[in-house]
Amino acid sequence: MSAPHWIQPHPQGIYVAPADCWVDPSVAVERALVTHGHADHARGGHGETLATPETLAIMDLRYNTREGAVPVAYGETLRLAGGVDATYLPAGHVLGSAQILLEHAGERVVITGDYKRRADPTCAPFELTPCDIFITEATFGLPIFTHPPITEEIGKLLGALEANPEACVLVGAYALGKAQRVIAELRAAGHHDPIYLHGAMERMCRLYEDLGVPLGELRLVADHTKEEMRGGVVVCPPSALNDRWSRRLPDPITAMASGWMRVRQRARQRNVELPLVISDHADWHELTQTVLEVNPRETWITHGREEALLRWHELHQRKARALALVGYEDEDD
Ligand SMILES: [Zn+2]
Ligand SMILES: [Zn+2]
């Protein structure tokens, strides 16, 4: 059997022909099905945006998209035009993130968006969904990418804090997802001291709390003195790590939470002293394991290092193709 003609990959997104709608389009369209709130998937300006209530809240905070918002709960099936059914299933990536299952003419297509398989206290776990065509991300699609257990990385962070009681640990983390996960994991590891936030993280952290993800006591760096912040954890966007802004902190030890921290050169580029390999994406093992478990007739690979995963499919006598979608960046690594 060949690929279904009703799902059409274009550079600006995946077009669902019978329903005349797009999944994660990079341009404004009449009707968009959005997997999650990261900027490379979610954009403003669509006529209608179909997404989970959490993703819609995140998009509204970031892009003012209240108009045309259509909430879809996990597990709920929507009947779209042209006899296409859409079901949103948890992707385990960030709060509200969904895989989208599309069913049409007896065929099942799953679009993962970004996903991971590890437990994450800030979002619902990935749900394995059998299908004919599995459209997967491949951000970390190289065998060198293995993410260690997050407890190990959080342990390193807390170890640095303990060894340097007069300093603080400044953690660079993306404002949507990574920051809240690091904070929630610190709490789970028994760290209940106030955590200090760069102003740019505040609204998203508050939104997470409003949506039922407790993060403990959060304080704004701007409201506190150097002395008060000694021995504390400070979270900021990666762009603020080497910024003048950090001069107000007490002897910061610079850390960064990202899957890219596996690559030493990336840590060096950002002057990161304490690289924390914490990713919200599947690593190589999870990517390949998930393909084996989903066992699709065909895999389509998006954003990332497609070549190694294509080769892996070849070696395992599996059909796969790389989709050349544009605009997928690593905002959310
Ligand atoms: Zn992405
Ligand atoms: Zn993402």
Side-chain angles (χ1 to χ4, degrees):
M1 265 197 288
S2 62
H5 54 87
W6 58 280
I7 296 279
Q8 300 166 2
H10 289 267
Q12 67 271 31
I14 292 164
Y15 183 60
V16 187
D20 187 24
C21 65
W22 294 81
V23 179
D24 289 354
S26 57
V27 295
V29 298
E30 202 38 58
R31 183 169 295 117
L33 280 57
V34 174
T35 58
H36 67 286
H38 280 139
D40 54 332
H41 299 257
R43 276 157 214 253
H46 303 310
E48 244 182 8
T49 303
L50 289 71
T52 62
E54 293 85 357
T55 295
L56 290 174
I58 289 164
M59 288 179 72
D60 192 38
L61 180 72
R62 303 185 122 192
Y63 321 111
N64 269 309
T65 52
R66 192 156 309 164
E67 221 171 286
V70 181
V72 190
Y74 287 134
E76 186 189 335
T77 298
L78 281 186
R79 170 55 57 98
L80 305 175
V84 178
D85 285 339
T87 309
Y88 286 49
L89 300 155
H93 174 56
V94 297
L95 183 62
S97 66
Q99 316 172 65
I100 300 177
L101 164 66
L102 298 168
E103 295 173 279
H104 176 68
E107 212 158 26
R108 292 162 61 89
V109 176
V110 166
I111 299 166
T112 64
D114 295 334
Y115 76 97
K116 71 173 175 292
R117 304 294 302 270
R118 312 286 175 96
D120 178 341
T122 68
C123 65
F126 179 91
E127 232 171 85
L128 199 76
T129 309
C131 60
D132 302 294
I133 307 289
F134 186 56
I135 305 183
T136 181
E137 63 131 323
T139 303
F140 291 109
L142 280 177
I144 60 150
F145 289 113
T146 52
H147 307 325
I150 191 166
T151 47
E152 269 177 31
E153 303 303 284
I154 294 293
K156 283 184 203 165
L157 201 172
L158 292 174
L161 209 58
E162 209 170 300
N164 302 278
E166 296 299 307
C168 72
V169 177
L170 174 62
V171 186
Y174 288 93
L176 166 54
K178 189 65 57 67
Q180 297 78 22
R181 183 175 176 217
V182 166
I183 293 169
E185 290 285 357
L186 280 165
R187 300 312 189 196
H191 182 78
H192 298 298
D193 294 350
I195 290 176
Y196 296 88
L197 299 179
H198 183 285
M201 323 296 276
E202 190 192 12
R203 291 200 309 163
M204 192 60 74
C205 287
R206 298 294 174 215
L207 179 62
Y208 262 62
E209 294 196 295
D210 290 347
L211 293 171
V213 180
L215 299 175
E217 190 184 345
L218 302 177
R219 294 177 175 176
L220 282 179
V221 166
D223 299 339
H224 294 272
T225 63
K226 253 187 197 180
E227 288 314 309
E228 288 175 298
M229 290 186 278
R230 286 194 195 282
V233 175
V234 182
V235 185
C236 73
S239 59
L241 273 182
N242 301 307
D243 195 75
R244 293 174 60 88
W245 170 84
S246 63
R247 292 189 199 165
R248 70 186 70 193
L249 304 174
D251 311 313
I253 297 164
T254 309
M256 165 114 180
S258 163
W260 297 112
M261 291 298 104
R262 174 63 76 204
V263 183
R264 254 191 216 141
Q265 201 190 341
R266 293 254 190 164
R268 251 186 267 123
Q269 272 165 6
R270 289 192 184 267
N271 295 317
V272 170
E273 300 162 84
L274 183 66
L276 303 172
V277 184
I278 299 178
S279 173
D280 286 331
H281 293 270
D283 66 7
W284 173 258
H285 174 75
E286 290 168 78
L287 286 170
T288 52
Q289 192 60 34
T290 302
V291 170
L292 292 174
E293 288 172 19
V294 171
N295 194 23
R297 188 177 83 224
E298 223 177 279
T299 308
W300 296 1
I301 305 164
T302 72
H303 62 302
R305 278 118 284 267
E306 289 101 355
E307 306 77 23
L309 201 53
L310 278 176
R311 178 90 185 106
W312 177 89
H313 278 77
E314 233 173 76
L315 290 171
H316 289 77
Q317 274 120 48
R318 289 183 167 273
K319 215 169 159 189
R321 63 185 277 206
L323 306 185
L325 304 184
V326 296
Y328 287 102
E329 299 296 334
D330 48 3
E331 185 211 2
D332 49 282
D333 53 22

